[in-house]
Amino acid sequence: MADESLAVEIMSSHVTNGTKDVGPGDIVVVKPDILLMNDVTALLAIRVLEETGAEDIIDCKRNNTIIVLDHYSPPPTARIASSYRRLRAFARKHGCLFKDVGEGIMHQIAVEELVEPGQLALGADSHTITYGALTVFSTGIGSTEAAYILATGELWLKVPHTINVELKGTLEWPLTGKDVVLYILGQTGGDGAVYASVEFMGDGLKSIQVSDRLTISNMMVEGGAKTALFPVDDILLDWLMRERGIDPRPAWKRLSPRKAEPDLYVDLGRLEPMIALPAAPYNVAPVREVEGVEVDQVFIGSCTNARYEDLAEAARILKGKKVKDGVRLIVTPASRRIYHKAIETGIMEVLHSAGAVITPPGCGACFGSHMGVVGDDEVMVSTSNRNFPGRMGSPKAKIYLASPQTAAATAITGRITDPRDI
Amino acid sequence: MNVDRVLEGYVVKLGDNVSTDDIIAGRYLHITDPEELASHLFENRPEIRERLLKAKKPVILVAGRGFGYGSSREHAPIALKTYGVKAVLAESFHRIFYRNSVNNGLLVIEVKGMADLVDDGDKIRVDLRAGIVETPRGTIRIGKIPDYVINLILSGGLKEKLRSIASQKSHT
C-alpha cells in the first residue's frame, strides 16, 4: 500500500460511493472532513442556496464548515459591510464556524486551528491547497460546489495522477520555501501540474520547516496542481506537537515519506534567491538577473508568506535599518495570532521602527482591493502569490513576487536586491 | 436548464493561461448579480475586452493551454455566460474553472489544435453528439469527456442537481 501516492491513500479513506480501491483517473464521491469558504465565495454560495431552494436542507456541522471574512476585511465600502452582515447572520443561523474581521486569512486559520494529517479539506478558494504541507488532501472548489456540500455532505472528485518532486541537499539562509516553489514553477510553467497531486520526497525534506512547506504547497496551484502533499515526518510531528499540542496518531504511519521515481529534482544546495517577473508566477528568474530595478512599494503579506517566520526573517534584515526614502513597505500579518506573537517578541517594533506600515491581518493588497494596492506604472515587490495585470491594483503596475528576505532587502535599498548583499 | 448538444457561435481567440483574475478582477467579487459581473469582463486586460465587446454574439472563446488559471472565483464563468459566451474551447483548462463552468452551464471542452483553424469572428459549430467542432477551415475532434462529467454538463451541472434535491426533500 505504501507505494500508492499520498493523494490516493487519503482519498481512499474518504470515498462514500462503493469501492475504496481507487486509482488515478477514477471519479469518486468523497465526504470532506472540513469545508471552508471566504467572504467572497460564501456570498455566492448563499446566492446559489437561495436560487435552488436548498438553504433549508443545509448542515454546517456534518462537514465542519467554516466561513472566514478575509478578502475585503475590514470592509472598505458600505455595500461590502452590508454583505458582511449577511454572512454573519447566515453563519449564526446555521451554526457554521465563523471568523470575523481581523482574525486573519482562512488558510492560516485552518493551519493554526483546524486541519490535521490524513484529512480531506475542500475550500472555496484556490489556495486551500496550502494544507498539503500538513499532509492534508486539500484543494480548491467553487461556490456552487460548497453549496452542494452544505446540502449533501459530499462532492465528486477525480483521483489525480502524481508528480513526484525530489528535494536534494540542504536549504540554507537566505533561501526559503518561496525560492523553492518559484524554481519549481519555472519548471512546470503555468499548466505543467494541472490536475496532478504534487508530492514531495527526498533528503532535502529535512531542511524544510513547516512554514516553508506551507509556502511551497500554497503556490503549487500556480502550476495548476490539485493538491501538493508533504509526507508526515519528524519535522511535521514536532510542529504539530509544539504549535497545536497534537500527539502522533497511528493512522499517520501510512502517510510516511515515499520513495518513488522522481519526475522533477530540486537541488537545494545549488538554488539561489528567485523572483517571478511580471506578469505570471511561473515567469521566474534568479534575483541576480533583475537586481537594481527601482521599486515604489514592497508588500509582505498573503497566505503565501506572512507567517511569523516570514515577519521574523524580514525583521532580521530590517533591524536597525530604514526603509528607503520614497518607498512604502506594507506588512499584513496572515493572522491575529501571528500579529500578537510578533508584538510580544518585538518583531513588530523592529518593522515599525524601520518604517513599515502595518495593517490588520487578512488578504490585504494581494487581493487587489484595498490596504496598499499600487497605481499606474508603479513597481512592487510582493511576497504574495499572483502578479497578473491588475491583480494588486492598476493593470499598468508591475509586480514581482519574491521571498520575505528579498522583499525586506529591496525595501532598504529601493531596488530589487539579493538578500545575500545586505 | 439543459445544455444544448449542438451550438454555434462566433470566435474570440485568446492565448495561454488566461486567468480568472483576467476574466473578472478581484475588486468586483463582492458582487453576486450576474449582469453586473458581466459588465466588468476583462477590465484588467483591455485588449481582450475591446475584442470581446466588438464580437458578434453568441461568442465561443477559443483559447490555448491552461484556460481559467488561478483563483477559484465562480464569478468568472457566471460573468462569461451572462455576457453571451456559449462555450470555451481550449487546449487545456485549470480544474476549478472547469468545474465551476460545468456547474453553471457554460460549456467547456478540451480541443487540441483549434487555434490554427480559426480567427476572430469565424462562425463555428460544436456538436457534442458527434464529438466534433466544425470550423471554416475544417472539422476537428474533441477530446473524450468522462461519462460522469458529460452527464453533469448536459443536465446543467451541480446547481440543477441541487435544485432537484432541494425540491425532493421539501416534498418528503
Side-chain angles (χ1 to χ4, degrees):
Chain A
M1 279 307 241
D3 45 43
E4 274 179 350
S5 70
L6 291 166
V8 167
E9 183 72 50
I10 298 172
M11 285 184 92
S12 301
S13 63
H14 290 80
V15 171
T16 59
N17 63 333
T19 176
K20 311 264 171 192
D21 182 20
V22 302
D26 292 347
I27 287 177
V28 296
V29 177
V30 296
K31 177 175 187 271
D33 298 297
I34 294 170
L35 170 65
L36 308 99
M37 289 180 278
N38 63 43
D39 42 354
V40 308
T41 58
L43 273 178
L44 210 48
I46 292 172
R47 187 183 168 100
V48 171
L49 291 170
E50 286 170 354
E51 278 177 7
T52 56
E55 195 183 336
D56 295 338
I57 60 168
I58 69 169
D59 183 349
C60 273
K61 300 274 188 275
R62 184 170 41 204
N63 305 90
N64 209 14
T65 300
I66 184 166
I67 296 173
V68 182
L69 308 188
D70 59 6
H71 276 59
Y72 290 109
S73 163
T77 67
R79 186 176 178 187
I80 295 169
S82 299
S83 297
Y84 273 23
R85 287 193 70 206
R86 216 161 150 228
L87 291 168
R88 283 185 197 102
F90 179 89
R92 198 177 313 120
K93 180 177 170 192
H94 296 287
C96 307
L97 298 172
F98 183 73
K99 295 284 180 179
D100 213 316
V101 166
E103 289 298 320
I105 305 172
M106 180 169 101
H107 308 306
Q108 184 58 28
I109 289 168
V111 164
E112 289 174 358
E113 300 180 16
L114 288 174
V115 297
E116 59 177 71
Q119 289 182 329
L120 194 149
L122 298 179
D125 187 313
S126 61
H127 289 110
T128 301
I129 190 169
T130 307
Y131 335 142
L134 305 193
T135 331
V136 176
F137 183 103
S138 59
T139 194
I141 59 172
S143 293
T144 299
E145 297 185 310
Y148 187 84
I149 295 170
L150 276 169
T152 68
E154 300 178 335
L155 189 68
W156 72 277
L157 289 177
K158 191 160 95 176
V159 181
H161 66 281
T162 312
I163 294 177
N164 293 312
V165 179
E166 182 170 338
L167 305 166
K168 297 201 289 196
T170 306
L171 192 70
E172 284 174 353
W173 197 92
L175 293 170
T176 69
K178 186 61 154 283
D179 303 297
V180 175
V181 74
L182 289 177
Y183 174 83
I184 295 172
L185 290 170
Q187 307 294 307
T188 62
D191 65 342
V194 165
Y195 292 103
S197 172
V198 175
E199 306 200 357
F200 298 93
M201 52 191 57
D203 284 349
L205 287 173
K206 295 196 183 87
S207 65
I208 303 187
Q209 297 304 310
V210 171
S211 173
D212 285 311
R213 294 179 184 192
L214 288 162
T215 304
I216 294 170
S217 289
N218 171 277
M219 274 194 84
M220 279 318 304
V221 73
E222 292 8 297
K226 180 173 211 159
T227 191
L229 289 154
F230 282 81
V232 175
D233 62 0
D234 289 343
I235 287 179
L236 178 57
L237 291 172
D238 289 349
W239 185 92
L240 286 163
M241 183 67 91
R242 194 174 65 241
E243 300 290 328
R244 302 271 304 274
I246 302 177
D247 288 320
R249 303 193 199 287
W252 294 353
K253 284 217 165 29
R254 298 170 71 89
L255 306 172
S256 300
R258 280 5 194 197
K259 279 202 176 68
E261 199 57 38
D263 301 291
L264 212 65
Y265 282 107
V266 184
D267 189 343
L268 302 172
R270 297 182 62 178
L271 201 64
E272 48 179 323
M274 301 294 288
I275 192 163
L277 317 180
Y282 53 84
N283 186 21
V284 300
V287 173
R288 282 269 183 255
E289 285 183 17
V290 289
E291 58 189 352
V293 173
E294 286 190 36
V295 306
D296 300 287
Q297 182 169 303
V298 172
F299 174 64
I300 299 177
S302 87
C303 55
T304 308
N305 272 130
R307 276 174 276 282
Y308 179 77
E309 292 82 349
D310 299 323
L311 304 188
E313 282 298 330
R316 178 168 159 181
I317 289 172
L318 284 156
K319 192 172 173 74
K321 300 202 167 66
K322 290 280 179 202
V323 173
K324 174 86 173 173
D325 230 15
V327 173
R328 292 98 60 190
L329 169 62
I330 311 265
V331 177
T332 301
S335 73
R336 175 183 286 272
R337 191 178 289 193
I338 290 166
Y339 201 148
H340 192 79
K341 186 173 171 190
I343 290 171
E344 283 185 333
T345 58
I347 296 295
M348 282 305 181
E349 203 280 324
V350 172
L351 295 174
H352 191 261
S353 297
V357 177
I358 298 159
T359 79
C363 301
C366 175
F367 181 57
S369 290
H370 64 157
M371 290 207 291
V373 298
V374 282
D376 290 355
D377 305 319
E378 288 198 307
V379 177
M380 167 156 63
V381 167
S382 170
T383 67
S384 60
N385 42 59
R386 289 177 180 146
N387 57 347
F388 311 134
R391 167 77 184 187
M392 300 180 73
S394 166
K396 291 180 186 155
K398 288 194 164 53
I399 306 162
Y400 293 77
L401 306 175
S403 72
Q405 283 81 340
T406 300
T410 298
I412 293 168
T413 63
R415 299 162 182 273
I416 292 176
T417 299
D418 189 314
R420 292 172 294 187
D421 295 342
I422 295 282
Chain B
M1 187 192 68
N2 281 358
V3 170
D4 298 333
R5 285 164 190 252
V6 180
L7 55 94
E8 289 183 335
Y10 299 89
V11 170
V12 173
K13 248 172 97 168
L14 304 172
D16 291 337
N17 291 319
V18 172
S19 75
T20 51
D21 271 87
D22 293 336
I23 297 168
I24 182 88
R27 58 189 174 275
Y28 300 121
L29 298 193
H30 61 286
I31 298 167
T32 57
D33 176 54
E35 295 289 344
E36 194 180 350
L37 286 169
S39 72
H40 295 296
L41 275 171
F42 289 107
E43 281 187 11
N44 282 346
R45 299 288 302 272
E47 77 287 1
I48 296 178
R49 181 172 171 83
E50 200 179 315
R51 285 193 292 127
L52 183 68
L53 295 185
K54 278 199 297 206
K56 223 164 143 182
K57 289 186 193 175
V59 172
I60 295 181
L61 298 178
V62 175
R65 296 178 351 209
F67 190 87
Y69 187 40
S71 158
S72 70
R73 56 193 69 173
E74 195 162 326
H75 313 63
I78 290 172
L80 288 174
K81 189 180 181 216
T82 306
Y83 179 76
V85 174
K86 276 258 184 176
V88 185
L89 311 182
E91 297 272 331
S92 65
F93 290 91
H94 279 270
R95 49 169 294 278
I96 309 176
F97 176 85
Y98 184 92
R99 298 173 68 105
N100 286 342
S101 299
V102 166
N103 290 331
N104 283 281
L106 173 65
L107 192 60
V108 277
I109 308 175
E110 279 191 9
V111 190
K112 309 285 181 199
M114 271 292 283
D116 300 336
L117 286 178
V118 295
D119 280 317
D120 269 21
D122 283 352
K123 188 176 187 183
I124 63 173
R125 185 167 180 274
V126 181
D127 187 336
L128 281 182
R129 290 171 310 194
I132 54 168
V133 182
E134 292 168 3
T135 80
R137 287 169 213 81
T139 296
I140 197 159
R141 284 229 143 256
I142 65 181
K144 168 88 179 122
I145 307 172
D147 289 343
Y148 188 92
V149 179
I150 193 83
N151 289 332
L152 201 55
I153 292 173
L154 293 174
S155 63
L158 280 186
K159 198 184 266 183
E160 290 310 305
K161 219 169 157 179
L162 198 51
R163 208 187 295 275
S164 79
I165 291 169
S167 76
Q168 275 165 24
K169 288 222 177 162
S170 64
H171 290 122
T172 52

